[in-house]
Amino acid sequence: MFGLTTLIALVCVVVGIALARMTWWFWNEARPESPALAPLEIMSDAAYGKADEAQRVAMLDAVRMSTSNVPVSRPMRTEPRRPVGRPERIVKLPVDNAPQPVIDPLLK
């Protein structure tokens, strides 16, 4: 019924599928996940989309890493930031008696 070549081919296909599955499992388990990405994972949940603003803030605060006792969602300043002005440009005025560049003397 099955020849030796067919049996070897089936074994190779099964081993290949097993190796692909093991590789997929390894990549998913070994992938490092930064704790800073936890809020994004919460935001992608359907429960976050259905929650009101107070629940959303509570959900995000529960997964955020904070080094201080101050909640992250509370603003640190009361007034908005003032825009930083650009430094003034210093424009040098041309000298009155400077020689003018002449491109073509016949075009004067």
Side-chain angles (χ1 to χ4, degrees):
M1 183 171 161
F2 285 110
L4 183 61
T5 307
T6 307
L7 185 62
I8 292 173
L10 286 175
V11 169
C12 287
V13 167
V14 169
V15 169
I17 291 171
L19 283 174
R21 172 72 174 113
M22 194 168 73
T23 303
W24 177 79
W25 172 81
F26 176 76
W27 277 101
N28 281 338
E29 291 296 320
R31 182 180 346 156
E33 186 173 313
S34 173
L37 297 177
L40 292 177
E41 187 175 340
I42 295 295
M43 287 180 197
S44 67
D45 289 342
Y48 182 82
K50 294 176 184 175
D52 64 346
E53 189 63 31
Q55 289 174 337
R56 287 180 179 182
V57 169
M59 291 169 77
L60 291 176
D61 284 343
V63 296
R64 281 189 178 139
M65 291 179 43
S66 179
T67 57
S68 66
N69 293 335
V70 179
V72 179
S73 62
R74 204 176 305 162
M76 298 304 250
R77 60 178 78 226
T78 56
E79 74 268 352
R81 292 184 180 187
R82 282 178 270 135
V84 178
R86 293 183 178 165
E88 291 184 26
R89 284 181 50 187
I90 300 173
V91 180
K92 294 182 179 178
L93 297 174
V95 181
D96 292 335
N97 58 358
Q100 299 295 323
V102 178
I103 296 174
D104 188 358
L106 298 175
L107 296 177
K108 284 186 178 181

